[in-house]
Amino acid sequence: MKRQTYATLLIAALAALFGLMLTVAASAETITILHFNDTHTHLAAWGPHGDDGYGEIGGYDRLAALIGAERQRDAETIVLNAGDNCSGDIIFNMFLGVPEFGLQKALGIDAMAVGNHEFDLGPDILLYMLAQAQMLPGSEGAFPLLCANLSYALDTTGLSNIIQPFAVFERHSVRVGVFSLLTPTTMIIARPFNPQTNVGVIVRGDTAEVLFALAGEQVMRLRRQENCDVVIALTHLGIQYDLALAQFVPGIDLVIGGHQHIALDTTVVNAISHSNVRIVAGSTALKELGRVTLEVDTNGVRVTSAVQIPINDDVPRVEAVSQQIIGVQGMVEEMLGVQFYSQVVGRAAEDIRWRWTPTPSGEADSPLGNLVTDALRAWTHTDLAVEASGFLRQDIFTGDLTRADIYQAIGTGFNPQSPFGFQLMTFELSGAELYRALESSLAALVMPYDLDYLIQVSGMQYSFTPARGVGRQLDYALVGGQPLDPQATYTITASVILPEMMRTLFGIEVQNPRVLDVSLFQAVVEYIVAHSPVSAESEGRILSAEDNTGAKSWLPTNLRILSTYPNPFNHTMLSNSIFRNSARLIWRSTIRRGVSLSGCLREFGPPAGTLLLWTPTASRRNVFVDTRMRRTNSLAEVSVSQIV
């Protein structure tokens, strides 16, 4: 008899339970859910400046107005945050996440999913910021932080007493259960666990089976033990995880997601219960506030509306919240001795986009990437400068620019010597190693959706063809207009994290590294001041030999990990991590159940969290770590067996 897994049995039990779980009154009740995600310390409005100098996008003072208006209409509205308060503005580097948690308490947030960036500086710092924000259980106004896939066996901070797997709310006589799941890639892109001390929290769910089982446990508990009429998955997983969760775990009525900074509203049919499951997510930095209306009666739970309300200059501001934000900004400026938010230091002649927008002509360089890398090379005069697309955060908009506008677009990293983020570094690479670095970064892309590892360049051009497959995508590379010479040595400028990424992800060691006494942010500010009004556009520095403009659908069964970007605070990245100390065949349990490896790949893609290491047959040297489904020359299968 084929062995039945725990996840299979659990999902079967959920399916049997599904028809028996509604206990509400026959008359329909309406439940209103407000949601937002990935605020990234954007307390004040941002974007183009209005006539009063105030940003046109977002702002907690406008969010307060919208939440207040909704609660006037329905005092029992539930407000949920899908995670990633931390990192994105210099306020985080100065005060960690304390001001943002304080504002959310004042706004009456009901629950928040833990995001990967909450672990950027480790669980001890997360605990510290929660204590400083008076977010510990029992503190006035504190709301629950949710995550159901953390293991605390090696944790010494006591976070298990603070972070809960779920929360239950009773609204209009309806019991609403909310549970949360965090992307397992947090183990790579953040610092929840310190491998040197063997202390920290572990994010479980490195395979689809484990993740489904964890979700199923929460649904079962909320339905059976907590008698919930509505179950909401408030996730910080990413779109493809959310799609899979909705399709394969029965008993979930609504998925509210975060992590990828992509606004989403879609419906999938659950494969077990055959019910419709709505999936919604916002983008980032309070661009919008989501509102979902549920109708609940004995016939089930229905989503009657789901809208994204723009948070822009049409929304009034709550003055008391505005003054709190101004106060925090004033403290930052006083501590820095610089008018960070209030002084205009430059001007943009046009919008400078941070994302690469696919075009029929194949240009794959982003305007902001070109601006940043030009600024770095202007500072050091090296042969070329590079920056990973994932470290570009948001657009620079036409008009006057403050330091804050520039920092929010590019500021990353935590530097103990300076609040301005990563310092610059110059180093050398041979042409052969540079070629290998480009091929490795291209292998980590999922065209045209996930381009975080696409290397933006100055002083260089290259073209690639994704269809040719891993290790063979690069068509050509030019440095200074000349073909890349494998025997030559090239000087390169980047932020200090890029060489570390090359070493830990791709196994490439740079030569003659030299850390400069200037941050990437400072170099870019100086460049903008000197060249205002600045402009930048795609120039064909990077060309993709495929037309990627066509719409391509994500398949719900494909569990590729689409991380937003590597953790800008994690200097160790993968080095010496538990991932390198735990080599197990991740497919072993699948094959034992009689499912072929190729069949599993075709049906599901690699299990979420699988690290596929491309090892060329000749050298057997690990070239890159690829967490996406890719055709490879050979596979070295790695799992995180210690943490499940």
Side-chain angles (χ1 to χ4, degrees):
M1 177 182 292
K2 187 179 296 184
R3 183 173 64 90
Q4 288 185 295
T5 65
Y6 172 71
T8 303
L9 294 171
L10 185 64
I11 290 175
L14 282 169
L17 176 67
F18 190 76
L20 306 174
M21 59 193 180
L22 291 169
T23 59
V24 296
S27 59
E29 296 287 355
T30 299
I31 305 297
T32 301
I33 311 291
L34 301 180
H35 64 93
F36 58 90
N37 57 277
D38 295 275
T39 53
H40 290 296
T41 322
H42 281 50
L43 307 187
W46 55 282
H49 298 283
D51 294 337
D52 58 357
Y54 202 72
E56 296 180 2
I57 303 170
Y60 270 89
D61 44 6
R62 291 174 177 146
L63 177 67
L66 289 175
I67 291 176
E70 290 295 333
R71 280 185 163 151
Q72 276 192 329
R73 282 190 283 270
D74 181 359
E76 298 193 45
T77 293
I78 298 173
V79 183
L80 301 175
N81 174 357
D84 266 8
N85 276 1
C86 298
S87 179
D89 184 273
I90 202 167
I91 288 173
F92 179 77
N93 289 30
M94 304 289 286
F95 301 111
L96 302 180
V98 174
E100 189 152 13
F101 278 113
L103 285 171
Q104 291 182 13
K105 284 173 58 179
L107 268 56
I109 305 304
D110 288 295
M112 172 184 163
V114 175
N116 55 285
H117 278 284
E118 273 65 79
F119 286 114
D120 273 352
L121 300 178
D124 50 345
I125 300 300
L126 174 57
L127 179 65
Y128 172 81
M129 73 175 75
L130 293 174
Q132 292 298 307
Q134 298 183 357
M135 276 287 294
L136 301 181
S139 301
E140 183 178 358
F143 50 86
L145 268 67
L146 306 181
C147 188
N149 60 324
L150 294 182
S151 170
Y152 302 97
L154 300 175
D155 179 48
T156 60
T157 63
L159 278 177
S160 60
N161 299 317
I162 301 169
I163 300 174
Q164 307 170 24
F166 66 87
V168 177
F169 307 96
E170 188 154 334
R171 298 290 192 269
H172 301 298
S173 301
V174 174
R175 288 180 63 79
V176 179
V178 181
F179 74 95
S180 183
L181 295 170
L182 172 61
T183 171
T185 60
T186 301
M187 295 299 296
I188 300 174
I189 62 176
R191 301 183 70 180
F193 182 85
N194 186 332
Q196 279 71 44
T197 62
N198 205 38
V199 171
V201 299
I202 304 298
V203 185
R204 302 180 65 210
D206 68 317
T207 69
E209 183 179 59
V210 171
L211 194 67
F212 291 166
L214 292 168
E217 287 175 355
Q218 296 306 311
V219 175
M220 185 74 77
R221 181 171 181 178
L222 289 170
R223 294 293 189 187
R224 280 188 170 172
Q225 298 179 26
E226 302 296 332
N227 298 315
C228 290
D229 308 296
V230 178
V231 171
I232 298 173
L234 179 68
T235 74
H236 198 85
L237 292 171
I239 292 173
Q240 293 194 282
Y241 274 120
D242 288 339
L243 288 166
L245 201 65
Q247 185 172 7
F248 296 119
V249 180
I252 298 173
D253 298 302
L254 173 67
V255 177
I256 298 174
H259 183 54
Q260 282 188 277
H261 301 191
I262 298 173
L264 176 70
D265 181 6
T266 190
T267 300
V268 302
V269 178
N270 186 271
I272 311 299
S273 66
H274 307 294
S275 59
N276 291 331
V277 182
R278 195 72 162 259
I279 307 172
V280 295
S283 55
T284 183
L286 296 178
K287 285 185 179 180
E288 62 278 307
L289 175 66
R291 181 180 63 205
V292 180
T293 303
L294 304 177
E295 190 175 82
V296 187
D297 58 22
T298 53
N299 294 319
V301 179
R302 293 169 299 284
V303 176
T304 57
S305 70
V307 297
Q308 296 281 358
I309 305 168
I311 304 179
N312 53 29
D313 52 5
D314 292 332
V315 178
R317 306 176 219 157
V318 175
E319 183 63 23
V321 178
S322 297
Q323 291 305 313
Q324 290 184 54
I325 296 169
I326 291 171
V328 174
Q329 292 178 332
M331 287 190 287
V332 169
E333 293 191 336
E334 182 178 354
M335 294 171 70
L336 293 176
V338 171
Q339 292 178 300
F340 201 80
Y341 294 93
S342 54
Q343 181 184 24
V344 173
V345 296
R347 185 172 179 82
E350 59 185 342
D351 288 351
I352 300 174
R353 301 297 181 186
W354 70 290
R355 285 188 186 274
W356 164 55
T357 302
T359 64
S361 59
E363 294 172 345
D365 50 321
S366 84
L368 184 58
N370 291 343
L371 174 68
V372 169
T373 53
D374 283 350
L376 302 193
R377 200 158 65 96
W379 191 274
T380 61
H381 305 288
T382 52
D383 295 324
L384 62 146
V386 296
E387 176 66 307
S389 297
F391 290 127
L392 307 175
R393 299 296 189 92
Q394 66 188 41
D395 296 344
I396 289 177
F397 295 93
T398 305
D400 293 340
L401 299 176
T402 66
R403 291 178 178 87
D405 295 322
I406 301 168
Y407 187 91
Q408 289 173 351
I410 62 167
T412 55
F414 193 88
N415 179 355
Q417 284 74 45
S418 164
F420 296 125
F422 286 138
Q423 291 169 275
L424 291 187
M425 174 184 280
T426 61
F427 55 93
E428 296 176 353
L429 279 180
S430 69
E433 292 287 76
L434 180 55
Y435 187 96
R436 193 159 69 90
L438 288 173
E439 278 286 10
S440 299
S441 65
L442 292 172
L445 306 181
V446 177
M447 302 289 289
Y449 308 114
D450 182 18
L451 305 170
D452 294 336
Y453 292 95
L454 184 67
I455 301 300
Q456 301 293 321
V457 295
S458 175
M460 183 179 192
Q461 295 173 279
Y462 67 92
S463 173
F464 66 102
T465 303
R468 287 215 299 264
V470 166
R472 300 183 298 277
Q473 296 187 59
L474 200 59
D475 301 316
Y476 65 82
L478 306 176
V479 177
Q482 298 299 313
L484 185 69
D485 181 355
Q487 305 302 319
T489 297
Y490 296 97
T491 58
I492 304 171
T493 305
S495 65
V496 293
I497 191 64
L498 263 295
E500 183 66 23
M501 288 174 61
M502 284 192 288
R503 181 178 68 84
T504 56
L505 292 178
F506 308 148
I508 297 173
E509 296 283 354
V510 303
Q511 304 301 315
N512 299 321
R514 184 169 69 93
V515 179
L516 307 183
D517 190 25
V518 63
S519 69
L520 180 146
F521 164 72
Q522 291 168 309
V524 174
V525 169
E526 292 294 328
Y527 185 85
I528 289 176
V529 169
H531 293 82
S532 283
V534 293
S535 61
E537 58 187 17
S538 296
E539 302 173 3
R541 298 182 188 184
I542 308 170
L543 294 173
S544 172
E546 289 182 357
D547 182 358
N548 295 297
T549 57
K552 300 180 183 180
S553 63
W554 277 293
L555 296 177
T557 54
N558 189 341
L559 303 184
R560 292 173 299 184
I561 297 172
L562 299 176
S563 61
T564 308
Y565 35 78
N567 171 18
F569 299 97
N570 188 355
H571 287 276
T572 60
M573 295 292 286
L574 289 177
S575 58
N576 300 318
S577 75
I578 60 169
F579 290 91
R580 295 214 171 176
N581 298 329
S582 176
R584 299 289 186 270
L585 288 177
I586 202 163
W587 300 100
R588 187 172 294 155
S589 61
T590 302
I591 296 170
R592 191 184 298 129
R593 291 198 304 273
V595 180
S596 70
L597 175 60
S598 59
C600 185
L601 279 168
R602 282 196 304 273
E603 181 63 22
F604 294 108
T610 304
L611 303 181
L612 302 181
L613 309 185
W614 181 54
T615 53
T617 305
S619 68
R620 307 304 301 171
R621 182 177 180 183
N622 293 338
V623 176
F624 65 85
V625 178
D626 179 15
T627 55
R628 289 102 177 143
M629 181 179 178
R630 286 286 183 180
R631 181 166 60 87
T632 60
N633 290 42
S634 58
L635 291 181
E637 297 128 340
V638 175
S639 98
V640 195
S641 61
Q642 292 178 357
I643 71 172
V644 297

